[in-house]
Amino acid sequence: MAEPVVLVNSFEVPAGQAEEFIAAWEFQFVNVARWQSAETFAAATMSAGFGQAAAGLAGYRPHPGLYRIVRT
């Protein structure tokens, strides 16, 4: 059975470009999302809708990572 994963994606935003980044992304600089599994996350990122939704972030270097929760 697939295990849930959490996406943490921080972005490098050059000095002076924070306002443009915020306009493209409504929360400042870190994206945290829970996914049913790594496979469902991968499938979502391959969809046309995902690419369209993320188009405004294309100029900012992301550092995504999927993590399994081992203890809460």
Side-chain angles (χ1 to χ4, degrees), residues 2-5 34-42 66 68:
E3 295 182 36
V5 293
R34 295 180 186 273
W35 290 86
Q36 185 177 14
S37 67
E39 293 78 17
T40 57
F41 170 73
L66 293 178
R68 296 195 195 303

Side-chain angles (χ1 to χ4, degrees):
M1 183 167 83
E3 295 182 36
V5 293
V6 174
L7 167 69
V8 176
N9 192 6
S10 61
F11 290 86
E12 289 182 29
V13 178
Q17 293 187 14
E19 293 301 319
E20 292 88 1
F21 182 85
I22 292 169
W25 191 270
E26 295 179 342
F27 189 81
Q28 194 162 7
F29 310 150
V30 175
N31 176 29
V32 177
R34 295 180 186 273
W35 290 86
Q36 185 177 14
S37 67
E39 293 78 17
T40 57
F41 170 73
T45 62
M46 301 299 283
S47 74
F50 187 93
Q52 292 169 352
L57 304 173
Y60 303 99
R61 185 175 168 194
H63 298 280
L66 293 178
Y67 299 86
R68 296 195 195 303
I69 299 172
V70 297
R71 185 177 296 157
T72 58

